[in-house]
Amino acid sequence: MARTFRVLGIGLGLMVGLVVLWVGVVYLISGRHLQQEYTLHAVNLTVADDPAMLARGRHVATIRGCMDCHGMDFGGQIFIDDPMLGRFAGPNLTRGGRGAVLTVADWERAVRHGVRSDGRPLRFMPAIEYNQLSDEDLTALIAYVRHLSPVDRSDVPIRIGPLGRMLHLTGNLPLLLTARLIDHDAPHRPAPPHGPTAEYGAYLASSCAGCHGPGFSGGPIPGVPPEWPPASNLTPDPETGLGTWTEADFMRVLREGRRPDGSAIDARYMPVRFTSKMTDVEIRALWAFLQTLPPTLEGNH
């Protein structure tokens, strides 16, 4: 009996040792990724604050979902707080916080590249979705946030838990460090002409890919708490996607948060408060783009 307990004790000790070793490796490698430095090409942008530019910036900030992480007043807020996954919060971007010291170059680096002013990567900044944001939209966004009233709110420190680090290393939490996913040397292309076209819809749809996936077929959303429902399939698949929908159905979903059968979409997970502010042209463009996608079963990115 004593020998059996000794063997079990040795086995348990080896298992604990392996777990400790694995956690150490996870923290070591993820720590290196967090400290990686990026050298970016300088981009010259001019920011004006005329009424038309400010109105455009407010619209861009709204339909691109910036308030989801930074709060309706851009004063920052916690959007994920899980002991294993981590605590993630958007910082205060008003002049009462980080916005007081951010230069135009800092804004461009952060929004398009997910990189801080010191060259290190931002955490949970979805720059992969905003990398192709046009100069016009980006400068309007900067002008709008700079124009907001200062908010006196301290930033909440970001903490990456062991599960968050492991998911990052296995490629299942891509939004943690999007700077690693971007070709920082690729030339920046201008936005397509504004209109109800598939081309302009593709430009807008980049903001949807974080939840609905690169192929827009939906399914489980990487890195979110387990109680979150899977994202909907936006491809024209007739079984699990939008294959039986009309443009009017799609417009109703984005405007009112209701499916074709009249059932309501949970606004905690689908940002209808933002999509409802899209113009008819933008919604029609998004619909036109989604119709060009190959029909795909849900989750088959």
Side-chain angles (χ1 to χ4, degrees):
M1 182 66 69
R3 181 179 180 183
T4 300
F5 280 121
R6 282 199 303 271
V7 171
L8 290 174
I10 293 172
L12 181 61
L14 287 173
M15 290 179 62
V16 171
L18 289 173
V19 170
V20 170
L21 178 62
W22 170 245
V23 170
V25 170
V26 167
Y27 270 76
L28 176 64
I29 298 176
S30 62
R32 288 177 178 174
H33 291 177
L34 290 167
Q35 295 302 315
Q36 183 176 349
E37 293 190 21
Y38 296 84
T39 301
L40 306 178
H41 299 296
V43 177
N44 295 319
L45 298 174
T46 301
V47 176
D49 59 356
D50 59 88
M53 181 72 78
L54 295 177
R56 178 63 188 170
R58 177 180 177 81
H59 185 70
V60 171
T62 301
I63 68 170
R64 293 285 182 169
C66 301
M67 290 86 153
D68 255 352
C69 296
H70 297 283
M72 296 302 294
D73 60 0
F74 274 84
Q77 66 177 11
I78 298 173
F79 53 88
I80 290 179
D81 194 357
D82 181 272
M84 292 299 292
L85 188 63
R87 181 178 59 227
F88 303 106
N92 182 350
L93 295 180
T94 72
R95 287 173 286 119
R98 241 177 250 191
V101 297
L102 290 175
T103 66
V104 174
D106 292 335
W107 276 96
E108 195 276 336
R109 187 184 296 110
V111 174
R112 285 179 174 166
H113 298 274
V115 175
R116 306 186 318 195
S117 57
D118 63 2
R120 289 185 171 85
L122 288 166
R123 306 171 189 188
F124 236 96
M125 169 60 196
I128 191 71
E129 300 175 18
Y130 307 132
N131 179 251
Q132 292 303 315
L133 203 64
S134 70
D135 290 351
E136 177 188 9
D137 283 349
L138 177 57
T139 52
L141 175 63
I142 296 171
Y144 168 67
V145 179
R146 282 181 163 182
H147 190 74
L148 293 173
S149 299
V151 175
D152 184 14
R153 187 181 304 143
S154 299
D155 289 343
V156 176
I158 290 177
R159 178 187 59 81
I160 307 173
L163 178 60
R165 290 174 183 264
M166 185 177 70
L167 290 174
H168 162 66
L169 292 184
T170 57
N172 292 306
L173 190 55
L175 288 180
L176 178 61
L177 295 177
T178 57
R180 296 180 60 82
L181 309 177
I182 295 170
D183 181 358
H184 300 286
D185 295 321
H188 189 76
R189 301 189 302 270
H194 184 275
T197 64
E199 185 182 17
Y200 189 63
Y203 171 73
L204 296 171
S206 61
S207 297
C208 309
C211 289
H212 294 278
F216 300 94
S217 65
I221 304 172
V224 301
E227 65 269 19
W228 280 43
S232 298
N233 183 356
L234 301 183
T235 74
D237 178 66
E239 296 181 21
T240 63
L242 308 184
T244 61
W245 289 33
T246 66
E247 185 183 82
D249 293 332
F250 184 68
M251 188 166 290
R252 186 184 185 194
V253 164
L254 298 192
R255 285 266 191 266
E256 304 174 21
R258 291 195 174 276
R259 301 179 182 89
D261 62 5
S263 61
I265 294 178
D266 195 330
R268 291 176 297 174
Y269 309 110
M270 171 63 188
V272 178
R273 63 192 181 281
F274 301 141
T275 61
S276 63
K277 305 301 183 182
M278 296 180 75
T279 66
D280 288 352
V281 169
E282 289 168 337
I283 294 178
R284 290 174 60 198
L286 196 55
W287 173 256
F289 164 68
L290 295 175
Q291 295 305 293
T292 68
L293 298 174
T296 308
L297 289 176
E298 182 178 303
N300 288 353
H301 303 297

